[in-house]
Amino acid sequence: MKSRSLDPSELHFGYFFPSGKTNFLYSDEAASTRPDMNKANLLALAGAAEEVGFDSMFIADNWSGHQRAAERAGHQSPAYHAPMLAMALFAATEHIGVISTFHTTHHHPAHVARMGATLDAFSDGRWGWNVVTGFSADEAALFGEDFIEHDERYRMAAEFVEVVEALWSEEEPIDHSGQYYRAKGRIKLPRPAAKPRPLLVSAGASPAGTAFAARHCDQLVAMGNTVDMVAGVGGRLAEQTTTTGRDVGLCPFSMALIREGEGEAEELFEQLLTSLNIDATKEIATDVIGSIESTQAMWADMGVEKAAKAFGAAGSMLKFIGTPAEVADQIIELKRSTDAVNLLINFPLWSPAELRTFTPVLEILREAGVWSPPAERDYSW
């Protein structure tokens, strides 16, 4: 069972596990050169993440397969169902945490309570829940549901989480009859191993999303393509947590491309951009830019065409591109300038060998006092 006490002077690191041949950098060259999304390759990737020193793996997820150009090219596809993939990764690892997505809008609280308890008990407290409300009308249509307004989805999610936590913590049957959900009874054992409950994470940085994280979550994943933008999200989160009295960690989202020679990583990144799949990018960007308020604000003046290209080039997140020393310096600056306690990293050219390019970065961060190996802190995450 893992501790959640984080040293505020240090950074922890989460690996954004691939939910498709590419995520956030929709380069056909990247997609065509990535390993097959099969059991052997994904389990080897999880083993490499644990070996390198990542604290956790984060599995994003959505349901609708309406993005056909993206699907044909391998962008955000194929994507295994997050909680089922999480169980496989737990079986192949010993210490690393796995945060998997569960949608509140398309489930009943009892579903998530039972599945989450199973994942956490099986892994001895290594499971975390990425609480997602869903942002796509196509996704809602798949379930025969009406697309629910943004802030209403967060009000539903707040009640959803309360019911799940009651089903995890109460020994006696619950009798909940709320505005959105009804639940009477108790779930079968096991209960979660993590105390007081598993780690909860969310990624909505809108006013409603930040307020939800401040009241219900342990970490907020922050999208922003500059340190100043990430710091702004952290400031809004701090204002909210002052009201709730809870400690919620800031978790910036980023991508990394690291090479030993000066300029090599930058040259490779520019090369990948020459094969950007515009049709696939437009599909994905139209969904996200049209539905996620924080992304709308980021690109409000760009127009859909330009915004789509920016989005497909990892334009919504921090980019750490360079030599190990250069990337380490960039991460140290992030730590100095924000309240970040965890850094979520996507490697666009994912493979076990690619993850190992991060090892010398961690060695520099250790010498700088910004990071310590998970084993030395009892695998806290």
Side-chain angles (χ1 to χ4, degrees), residues 115-295:
M115 289 187 282
T118 297
L119 286 160
D120 198 65
F122 181 84
S123 65
D124 191 26
R126 291 193 282 146
W127 176 69
W129 174 17
N130 176 36
V131 185
V132 169
T133 69
F135 63 83
S136 167
D138 293 280
E139 204 164 52
L142 186 67
F143 290 90
E145 300 170 355
D146 294 330
F147 188 47
I148 299 169
E149 183 270 334
H150 177 273
D151 287 10
E152 183 78 359
R153 295 198 304 271
Y154 276 106
R155 288 190 286 271
M156 293 175 66
E159 184 180 332
F160 191 107
V161 169
E162 289 170 0
V163 178
V164 169
E165 291 188 338
L167 288 168
W168 281 342
S169 62
E170 298 296 331
E171 288 300 321
E172 298 302 318
I174 70 168
D175 189 355
H176 177 89
S177 182
Q179 183 177 354
Y180 302 106
Y181 301 104
R182 298 177 67 185
K184 187 174 183 178
R186 63 195 296 270
I187 59 170
K188 292 174 67 70
L189 296 177
R191 296 289 190 271
K195 302 301 178 189
R197 54 144 173 79
L199 187 85
L200 266 59
V201 178
S202 65
S206 67
T210 307
F212 172 82
R215 188 165 296 278
H216 297 284
C217 296
D218 302 296
Q219 292 182 13
L220 174 66
V221 177
M223 298 292 283
N225 54 18
T226 68
V227 171
D228 285 345
M229 291 185 71
V230 171
V233 176
R236 294 194 297 275
L237 179 63
E239 290 176 5
Q240 293 282 356
T241 53
T242 298
T243 302
T244 62
R246 299 183 67 254
D247 184 16
V248 182
L250 182 68
C251 177
F253 189 40
S254 67
M255 64 146 281
L257 193 58
I258 303 159
R259 293 295 183 268
E260 286 293 334
E262 187 173 341
E264 289 181 9
E266 291 87 349
E267 182 178 347
L268 178 55
F269 181 69
E270 291 302 319
Q271 176 186 323
L272 293 173
L273 294 185
T274 64
S275 65
L276 196 67
N277 188 316
I278 299 301
D279 290 338
T281 297
K282 282 183 178 179
E283 281 186 341
I284 299 168
T286 298
D287 275 356
V288 175
I289 295 170
S291 302
I292 298 181
E293 288 189 1
S294 55
T295 308

